[in-house]
Amino acid sequence: MARRQGRTGEGGGGARRYSWRRGAAPEPAAGPAPAPADTPAPAREPADTVVHAALYRDGVRVASPESLTDTYRQLRERPRTMAWIGLARPTEAELKSLAAEFDLHELAVEDALEAHQRPKLERYGETLFVVLRAARYLDAPEEVDFGELHVFVGPDFLITVRHGAAPDLSSVRRRMEASPDLLRLGPEAVLYAILDAVVDGYAPVVDGVQNDIDEIETEVFSGAPEVSRRIYELSREMVEFQRATRPLIGMLHGLMAGFAKYGTDEELQRYLRDVADHVTHTSERVDGFRQALADILTVNATLVTQQQNAEMKAMAEAGFEQNEEIKKISAWAAILFAPTLVGTIYGMNFDNMPELGWGFGYPFAIGLMGVVCVSLYVIFKRRGWL
């Protein structure tokens, strides 16, 4: 299907002054407030639902279609306009409808439908397909929640497909609508604003993880029993975080390499370089977190081993002491058993027993008991049992 001619953002000569900056949007111009952006829309037909859609001309919103069908119709009727469509967990029918209208590649549509993709940047003709992994830090469970965002960027349209709670694109839309000079540059400017928002969202995550690592270090040296599990879980989250941030460096350098080929506006070039710097810094921090957690895990394993060795040593010492006591008890039991044995034998009531009528029988029995006891005592004493 043939698309509209030209690029949104052509025209409007003269020097431009932009007010878009990282983390802070300017006050919106006077006039009617824009409709809430990227928030759930009222219930419509299940086969044709959209989180939020808007048409822009020269950086100003000119329409807010209620459905995908209405968006297609108004985009055809309004020349030199840009469509910004946002969807959350769309159905297969919705994505096929978008693919048919905007000539999206089937492989990109399949990726957007299935999700669970690694960050990447691919170009299909005039359409750029970008996959981003957003992140947010949840204070209550002290864990990192990851979301996935797919962006289709064409000459006169930008489509976002969100899987997960992050990122919050409503703030991006408000920021862009408050900067018409920047929004006039078209879908490419919106893509860079989304990249900026995703990267900005990493900062609270980095701060939260740093705080967790500080707490873990304290728990390790205090001997907390559950610290190993916490280290492992945070390490797994850092692996996911690394998978989200590291590919972005190559993606942004790829975009910067196409500045001259695609005639990217100089102001957008500066913003993209700024985003690349922040991504590089975040990626380095994440690498440092992984190394720190590995070191902490090693230290914890060493401390646990030392504690186990100390416990085993204490058990061994206790066992040795018990063994010494047992030897003493056994030695005295043997000493006391000898006279008992002699007395038992000579105490049997048999008529024909030797020594029964012997005058020295009793002294002999007593002497025998004493000799046996003394002999056993000497033997046990020499062996250290007594």
Side-chain angles (χ1 to χ4, degrees):
M1 178 181 293
R3 303 302 308 149
R4 266 75 39 197
Q5 299 177 354
R7 289 177 59 88
T8 304
E10 297 175 357
R16 298 187 178 95
R17 296 183 61 84
Y18 303 103
S19 56
W20 178 47
R21 289 294 182 269
R22 295 180 60 86
E27 294 296 327
D38 292 285
T39 54
R44 306 182 188 95
E45 300 86 349
D48 194 18
T49 59
V50 59
V51 174
H52 194 82
L55 299 183
Y56 299 90
R57 180 188 297 166
D58 293 330
V60 179
R61 185 192 292 225
V62 295
S64 299
E66 293 294 321
S67 66
L68 290 179
T69 303
D70 194 24
T71 302
Y72 305 154
R73 179 183 58 79
Q74 295 195 44
L75 189 59
R76 296 190 190 101
E77 294 174 352
R78 298 173 183 267
R80 299 175 60 81
T81 57
M82 176 190 75
W84 183 350
I85 304 171
L87 300 96
R89 297 184 182 89
T91 64
E92 183 177 359
E94 289 170 345
L95 283 178
K96 286 184 176 180
S97 173
L98 290 166
E101 178 67 20
F102 296 105
D103 194 24
L104 305 180
H105 197 277
E106 60 180 3
L107 293 179
V109 172
E110 181 180 350
D111 289 344
L113 181 63
E114 294 181 356
H116 303 293
Q117 304 295 319
R118 299 195 67 178
K120 61 182 179 179
L121 184 150
E122 296 177 345
R123 186 175 292 277
Y124 299 95
E126 292 186 340
T127 303
L128 192 65
F129 178 61
V130 181
V131 178
L132 303 172
R133 293 292 304 276
R136 59 174 182 161
Y137 186 80
L138 304 179
D139 291 322
E142 293 185 336
E143 62 184 27
V144 182
D145 177 51
F146 294 94
E148 192 168 329
L149 181 66
H150 301 249
V151 185
F152 296 89
V153 184
D156 58 352
F157 67 88
L158 183 135
I159 303 169
T160 60
V161 179
R162 185 160 49 88
H163 296 272
D168 178 17
L169 297 181
S170 60
S171 60
V172 178
R173 193 184 291 269
R174 287 193 298 268
R175 184 191 310 172
M176 294 298 292
E177 290 181 347
S179 305
D181 287 340
L182 186 63
L183 187 55
R184 186 180 293 118
L185 297 177
E188 190 176 30
V190 179
L191 172 62
Y192 291 176
I194 293 174
L195 286 168
D196 179 74
V198 171
V199 174
D200 276 348
Y202 293 152
V205 178
V206 170
D207 293 339
V209 172
Q210 181 64 68
N211 183 65
D212 286 347
I213 291 178
D214 293 340
E215 292 179 356
I216 286 174
E217 289 177 341
T218 303
E219 292 177 0
V220 165
F221 290 101
S222 65
E226 296 295 330
V227 67
S228 297
R229 180 182 183 88
R230 190 176 181 188
I231 295 173
Y232 173 76
E233 292 175 348
L234 190 57
S235 298
R236 290 288 303 271
E237 291 176 353
M238 288 305 96
V239 171
E240 289 296 319
F241 202 4
Q242 196 173 53
R243 290 174 180 172
T245 57
R246 181 171 290 180
L248 275 179
I249 299 176
M251 292 168 55
L252 293 174
H253 282 91
L255 287 173
M256 289 188 289
F259 282 163
K261 180 179 179 180
Y262 296 102
T264 304
D265 183 85
E266 292 184 2
E267 191 73 6
L268 291 182
Q269 294 182 29
R270 284 191 286 269
Y271 287 132
L272 191 62
R273 292 191 186 98
D274 181 63
V275 174
D277 290 341
H278 282 75
V279 169
T280 301
H281 176 70
T282 301
S283 181
E284 290 174 351
R285 291 290 302 277
V286 174
D287 291 342
F289 289 156
R290 286 199 63 186
Q291 184 61 46
L293 288 169
D295 294 341
I296 293 173
L297 189 61
T298 301
V299 171
N300 182 64
T302 302
L303 293 176
V304 170
T305 302
Q306 291 177 350
Q307 183 180 1
Q308 291 176 345
N309 290 339
E311 293 175 353
M312 292 178 63
K313 181 179 179 181
M315 292 176 61
E317 291 176 351
F320 177 78
E321 293 177 357
Q322 291 177 355
N323 189 43
E324 291 298 314
E325 295 297 328
I326 291 174
K327 287 194 296 183
K328 291 179 180 179
I329 294 173
S330 301
W332 284 112
I335 293 173
L336 295 176
F337 175 74
T340 302
L341 178 63
V342 174
T344 301
I345 292 175
Y346 282 94
M348 291 187 294
N349 298 318
F350 293 105
D351 295 332
N352 297 319
M353 283 185 64
E355 294 96 19
L356 288 180
W358 185 32
F360 295 99
Y362 176 75
F364 175 78
I366 297 298
L368 179 62
M369 293 180 188
V371 170
V372 173
C373 290
V374 171
S375 300
L376 290 176
Y377 179 82
V378 171
I379 293 173
F380 290 138
K381 191 68 175 178
R382 288 181 177 179
R383 294 186 177 182
W385 285 36
L386 293 176

